Amino acid sequence: MSQHVIVKDYNKNYPQIYENEKKLIIPILKDNLVSIYHIGSTAIPNIKSKPIIDILISVNSLEQVDAIKDEFIKIGYEYLGEFGIKGRRYLRKGNDNRTHQIHIFTKDDKYNLTRHLAFRDYLIKHNDKALEYSKLKEDLANKFPYDIESYCNGKDKFVKEIEVYALIEFNKY
């Protein structure tokens, strides 16, 4: 079954859902954890999004993460390795009706860590761009309700453009 692309109004409970998941993750990573953040559209107040909590994590060692992947599986995650981005560990929860995604990088991967945080912070600061992004996602979800690849491809140009502005504005190269 293909993933149904559903974009919903902002849910004021997203921050608490993130906090609850964070409480499950921290004990698994222990001393390997450097930082953990709520990213993605559910971290941006008042915009529409797929109801998926994106979590960005930096760690000291990806090898240590690989060694404890069964601990993530026990709390409902699929452990998908790099999954298309070199130096990342990607985990998802909820199968086709995904509820959470984890993106793990080492603390030295400044580019991937900062681009996610800068994008989030830029859209929080620039409500006009956040609303433009929200509308784009809603339109794409209506156009491609069972085609996640086309939905993602449709967002790609906007995301890359905003990412450039965000990295410049926040001086995070």
Side-chain angles (χ1 to χ4, degrees):
M1 181 177 156
S2 60
Q3 182 181 350
H4 188 185
V5 181
I6 300 173
V7 172
K8 295 184 173 186
D9 288 335
Y10 181 79
N11 179 338
K12 65 180 176 45
N13 295 318
Y14 287 150
Q16 188 58 55
I17 295 168
Y18 160 74
E19 289 296 330
N20 293 344
E21 200 69 12
K22 179 178 165 181
K23 289 175 187 170
L24 297 175
I25 294 166
I26 290 173
I28 293 172
L29 292 170
K30 300 178 181 153
D31 293 340
N32 192 27
L33 177 66
V34 175
S35 56
I36 183 168
Y37 305 95
H38 184 190
I39 61 165
S41 296
T42 60
I44 303 164
N46 303 316
I47 71 167
K48 294 184 179 196
S49 67
K50 293 183 291 155
I52 301 169
I53 304 298
D54 279 288
I55 300 168
L56 177 67
I57 297 174
S58 74
V59 295
N60 292 305
S61 164
L62 290 176
E63 291 76 18
Q64 287 182 36
V65 174
D66 292 337
I68 58 167
K69 69 181 181 182
D70 288 345
E71 297 302 311
F72 284 103
I73 293 168
K74 285 178 187 173
I75 63 166
Y77 282 93
E78 293 177 83
Y79 195 86
L80 299 169
E82 287 187 333
F83 204 68
I85 299 179
K86 187 170 173 44
R88 171 180 75 164
R89 295 301 180 270
Y90 175 72
L91 299 83
R92 66 184 179 199
K93 189 182 234 184
N95 299 313
D96 286 335
N97 296 313
R98 196 163 311 137
T99 59
H100 298 78
Q101 300 180 132
I102 300 175
H103 312 267
I104 304 174
F105 298 94
T106 66
K107 65 183 178 186
D108 299 324
D109 191 343
K110 301 296 185 206
Y111 171 73
N112 280 307
L113 294 169
T114 57
R115 73 184 177 90
H116 286 291
L117 295 171
F119 182 84
R120 177 200 65 191
D121 294 349
Y122 186 89
L123 290 182
I124 289 171
K125 183 176 177 183
H126 298 277
N127 191 55
D128 59 328
K129 290 297 181 184
L131 293 176
E132 185 179 338
Y133 187 46
S134 180
K135 176 79 168 102
L136 173 64
K137 291 188 300 167
E138 184 177 30
D139 291 346
L140 289 168
N142 288 331
K143 187 174 181 180
F144 304 111
Y146 289 97
D147 185 353
I148 189 68
E149 189 173 328
S150 293
Y151 170 84
C152 291
N153 288 342
K155 296 187 316 173
D156 193 57
K157 181 180 178 209
F158 181 89
V159 169
K160 285 187 166 113
E161 286 175 5
I162 293 301
E163 195 173 274
V164 169
Y165 294 122
L167 289 168
I168 290 168
E169 182 168 317
F170 291 93
N171 295 315
K172 296 178 180 180
Y173 295 98

